[in-house]
Structure formats: C-alpha cells, structure tokens
Amino acid sequence: MNTIERAKNIILSPKTEWLVIETEEISANKLLTSYLLLLALIPAVCGFIGYGLVGYNVLGAHFGSIDLGFRHAATSYVSMIAGVYLTAFIINKLAPRFSSLENFDKAFQLVVYSYTPMFVAGVFYLFPSMSTIAGIFGLYGLYILYIGLTPMMKTPEEKVTSYFLTSIIFLVVISLLLSIVLGAFYF
C-alpha cells in the first residue's frame, strides 16, 4: 500500500477507495505503523512549527514559544492516535446493535482512513490562524466515515444513519474527555 496514493484516493474518491480497502486484510498494528503514525505526524510537526516558531496574535499580543509548540505537537499526536483507537473500539463494539460486522481490524481501517483529510489538512497548523481549516476537513472525514460503514462494517443501508449518529455521539464524548485530559498539558 502506497501511503500517499491511499491518502489521495480516500480524499478524492472515497466511494471507490472503500471498495478497494474492503478487500484488504491488514491488522490494526500494521496499519498503525504503516499509515497512522506517519500521517498523524503532519498536524503534530506543523503544529510545532506554527505554535512554536510562527506564533499567533490575539488582540495585538503575540503568543508562541518552543514550549507551546512542543505541547501542541505532543497533544495533537497523542490525541489523534488515542482518538482513532477509542473510536474504532466503540464502532466495533456498537456493530452488533446495527446488524454489522464486529471486527476490530475493519473498524480500525474505517476510522484511520476517515481521519485522513484531517491529517493532511494538518499543514494548516503551520499558521495557527488557519488551523480552523483542519477542523473543516475533519467534517469531510465524517462523510468518509459515513460512506465507509457499509463496505467496511457490512452495515445494512437502513441502519447506516443510526449507526453513524450513535458513533458520532460517542465521538463527541470521547473528544471532550480527551480534550479535558490532554488539555492539562497546556496549563
């Protein structure tokens, strides 16, 4: 699997790419080392540069330091990886309730590839004032997750929306908890 090609294809033609991914048998550990750890570096490294070296202005005051950049990078990297694992775990555990396949490796693939737009958009962290754009790309990742539920988790069409919405509720709760726990590094 070529990481750059996969990232490009999942972003530009996700419906077609899910059909390719569906046929692949790859363990969560292999996907972690060959894709997730690499792509999660984009927002982490760019965040370090943006918050550590470039900085940002708030009401005329300039903020930015190596320490802030390092904390942002570490928090971003850990939260991305932990978020993928927790989300995959929840999607996998919810699967039987929605007549879907319970398979952690497939759930992990679904979530990792759904995060791809946010990883790639992490380049916007080079300029902290543009970091909101990464979040917008994260919304596109939710669409990719939605359309990936049927091929990856074998979710019946009539249950995709309820499975997706239930998963989103859990995602929001997880994100809030991670933000609270990891946010402690900033203070």
Side-chain angles (χ1 to χ4, degrees):
M1 168 186 60
N2 179 320
T3 303
I4 295 170
E5 276 298 307
R6 173 56 49 81
K8 181 185 89 169
N9 292 341
I10 199 71
I11 292 170
L12 298 178
S13 56
K15 288 182 181 179
T16 307
E17 194 64 12
W18 279 130
L19 298 177
V20 173
I21 295 167
E22 172 188 20
T23 64
E24 298 173 353
E25 294 297 325
I26 185 169
S27 71
N29 288 335
K30 176 72 175 159
L31 192 56
L32 169 74
T33 57
S34 67
Y35 194 87
L36 176 58
L37 293 178
L38 298 173
L39 263 66
L41 281 173
I42 296 170
V45 170
C46 292
F48 172 77
I49 294 168
Y51 288 92
L53 304 175
V54 175
Y56 60 98
N57 294 316
V58 176
L59 301 172
H62 185 77
F63 296 93
S65 68
I66 298 295
D67 181 55
L68 179 62
F70 177 76
R71 285 186 289 159
H72 185 275
T75 301
S76 170
Y77 198 65
V78 169
S79 65
M80 290 279 189
I81 294 166
V84 166
Y85 268 100
L86 289 171
T87 305
F89 175 80
I90 287 170
I91 285 175
N92 188 51
K93 289 301 177 188
L94 288 173
R97 294 178 189 257
F98 298 95
S99 305
S100 300
L101 174 70
E102 188 173 359
N103 179 323
F104 182 77
D105 288 338
K106 290 295 182 186
F108 194 77
Q109 281 180 293
L110 174 67
V111 175
V112 167
Y113 294 132
S114 296
Y115 268 60
T116 300
M118 196 165 45
F119 292 146
V120 172
V123 299
F124 290 106
Y125 286 121
L126 286 170
F127 303 100
S129 62
M130 298 178 70
S131 63
T132 305
I133 296 172
I136 293 168
F137 275 80
L139 293 175
Y140 180 60
L142 291 176
Y143 167 73
I144 292 173
L145 178 75
Y146 179 82
I147 64 172
L149 282 170
T150 297
M152 297 305 293
M153 304 305 291
K154 308 298 182 227
T155 306
E157 286 297 325
E158 67 275 4
K159 295 190 177 190
V160 170
T161 301
S162 57
Y163 190 11
F164 175 75
L165 292 174
T166 303
S167 299
I168 294 302
I169 291 168
F170 279 100
L171 278 166
V172 169
V173 171
I174 288 169
S175 296
L176 289 173
L177 292 175
L178 279 174
S179 296
I180 291 167
V181 171
L182 295 175
F185 286 110
Y186 282 106
F187 300 106

